[in-house]
Amino acid sequence: MMSVLSGLLAVGLVVGLSAGSALAVEPTDNTGAGQNATQALDSLEVKGRAPKTGYKRTQFGKAWADVDHNGCDTRNDILNRDLTDVKHKVRTHDCVVESGQLHDPYTGKDIAFKKGWKTSTAVQIDHVVALSDAWQKGAQKLSQTKRTELANDPYNLLAVQGKANQKKSDGDAATWLPSNKSFRCEYVARQIGVKHKYSLWITQAEKEAISKVLSSCPTQTVPDYTGVKDSTVEKTTESEQTEQTQTEQQTEQSAEQPAEQPAEQAQQNQQTTQAPAPEPAPAPAPAPQPAPQQDVYYQNCTAARAAGAAPIYQGQPGYRSQLDRDHDGVACE
């Protein structure tokens, strides 16, 4: 009798372990994780972009809320996850990141992060599927609770270079892709996972752009992890980084030069090739200065959030040091 019971118990344990193992590998977050990305893309609904009417950042809850109740806000959760060599602000229970190193997936560059008035914006937290894009593609129909979850979901968040995040703005794959081409497959696959999870649709242009990226990586699957896999992010060589940095500097210098400078330079070049005039030409009248940009003022962070402007980075309209309580360059976090 004992041998029979022992046999039944053994069979039961084997069946139980098999069932448990099957449940363990089955995706439970509704991202479609592990599926072929192209097939998962075909499962998304294709529709036109809805109006942006009514969109405000507050529609997605408080910025960087502590939704997992671990005592640390979402921004610092992601910095802790994505940065290496992390050092924390004292007496914050290893929450507030004081400094660290980021290997930026969007550009392939290594960035030193230091929390501070002028330095925090070097690293920003990007929504892989931008909240404005989500709003125009189905998030309007989600509950406030679900939208808050979307805005703070680590699966939809990456620490990235601040400049790249600003260039992306609220663009989808049809309007913006990371300059680091080795990361594009993983990037669009994660967008598929986010839109699958929150029942968001895509536009035809967006689907075509994603399909074009995935054509170079037909075995790409929807990520089953948060963050970035080290094996898929290749560091750019020193020469590539130098070339990209020089290009950015030249672009910034061109943007900062006044409009009349090319004409002045041409005049100087012409003077070097022609005989000097008997009398110097009178100095040209100064060009009229453009009207100063109208100031944007928010009385407090509540007003900034109501206008959909929060968080406000240093240098953006509406930023004031009085709104930046921790003086890290990001107001109304």
Side-chain angles (χ1 to χ4, degrees):
M1 184 69 176
M2 290 296 294
S3 61
V4 174
L5 289 174
S6 298
L8 291 173
L9 179 59
V11 172
L13 287 173
V14 171
V15 174
L17 286 173
S18 299
S21 299
L23 290 173
V25 298
E26 183 180 352
T28 57
D29 60 359
N30 199 34
T31 61
Q35 294 183 28
N36 179 272
T38 300
Q39 294 177 355
L41 174 65
D42 289 336
S43 70
L44 298 178
E45 185 178 11
V46 179
K47 293 173 60 176
R49 183 186 296 269
K52 193 176 178 179
T53 306
Y55 169 74
K56 294 181 180 179
R57 177 59 179 84
T58 51
Q59 297 280 12
F60 291 82
K62 180 182 177 182
W64 309 135
D66 180 15
V67 294
D68 57 1
H69 306 295
N70 67 345
C72 192
D73 63 90
T74 302
R75 173 181 165 82
N76 280 290
D77 279 341
I78 302 304
L79 290 175
N80 275 294
R81 183 196 68 188
D82 292 353
L83 270 59
T84 59
D85 300 327
V86 172
K87 292 182 175 57
H88 296 97
K89 189 175 182 179
V90 296
R91 293 187 293 276
T92 62
H93 303 287
D94 291 341
C95 170
V96 178
V97 176
E98 192 75 35
S99 64
Q101 295 289 326
L102 173 70
H103 182 60
D104 173 37
Y106 285 178
T107 64
K109 291 183 177 182
D110 292 318
I111 302 172
F113 170 78
K114 183 174 178 60
K115 182 179 175 65
W117 180 269
K118 296 183 178 179
T119 55
S120 287
T121 54
V123 174
Q124 298 176 14
I125 309 302
D126 179 48
H127 290 93
V128 178
V129 172
L131 300 186
S132 172
D133 180 64
W135 178 261
Q136 298 171 76
K137 297 174 183 175
Q140 297 182 29
K141 300 179 181 179
L142 299 178
S143 67
Q144 177 85 10
T145 300
K146 202 67 176 176
R147 287 197 297 264
T148 301
E149 178 187 336
L150 167 60
N152 293 276
D153 190 342
Y155 191 82
N156 189 35
L157 296 171
L158 291 176
V160 300
Q161 184 201 63
K163 288 183 179 179
N165 186 38
Q166 294 297 318
K167 289 179 181 177
K168 173 187 174 180
S169 186
D170 62 352
D172 59 18
T175 59
W176 187 90
L177 289 169
S179 61
N180 179 19
K181 294 182 179 180
S182 67
F183 184 66
R184 289 182 177 179
C185 288
E186 182 178 335
Y187 174 76
V188 297
R190 184 172 296 277
Q191 287 191 324
I192 293 170
V194 173
K195 296 207 168 186
H196 191 282
K197 181 175 182 177
Y198 292 96
S199 301
L200 306 176
W201 67 75
I202 57 175
T203 64
Q204 183 61 40
E206 184 180 2
K207 183 173 183 178
E208 291 174 359
I210 293 176
S211 296
K212 183 177 180 180
V213 172
L214 294 178
S215 67
S216 66
C217 46
T219 60
Q220 175 70 49
T221 58
V222 177
D224 58 356
Y225 51 88
T226 61
V228 173
K229 274 192 175 179
D230 294 337
S231 60
T232 62
V233 183
E234 301 175 0
K235 293 186 178 181
T236 55
T237 64
E238 183 176 353
S239 60
E240 288 174 334
Q241 289 190 14
T242 301
E243 182 180 355
Q244 190 168 4
T245 300
Q246 290 175 346
T247 301
E248 290 179 353
Q249 290 175 346
Q250 291 172 357
T251 301
E252 291 172 357
Q253 290 173 358
S254 298
E256 292 172 357
Q257 290 175 346
E260 65 271 13
Q261 184 165 349
E264 292 178 353
Q265 185 64 45
Q267 184 179 18
Q268 292 175 2
N269 294 339
Q270 186 178 12
Q271 289 175 353
T272 60
T273 58
Q274 296 178 353
E279 296 181 1
Q289 297 296 322
Q293 184 177 3
Q294 185 177 3
D295 292 336
V296 177
Y297 178 83
Y298 300 110
Q299 184 175 3
N300 49 43
C301 285
T302 300
R305 294 188 183 102
I312 310 173
Y313 295 97
Q314 187 175 13
Q316 291 183 332
Y319 176 89
R320 292 189 295 121
S321 59
Q322 291 85 346
L323 303 179
D324 188 359
R325 296 185 177 180
D326 56 0
H327 302 296
D328 65 347
V330 185
C332 302
E333 299 179 61

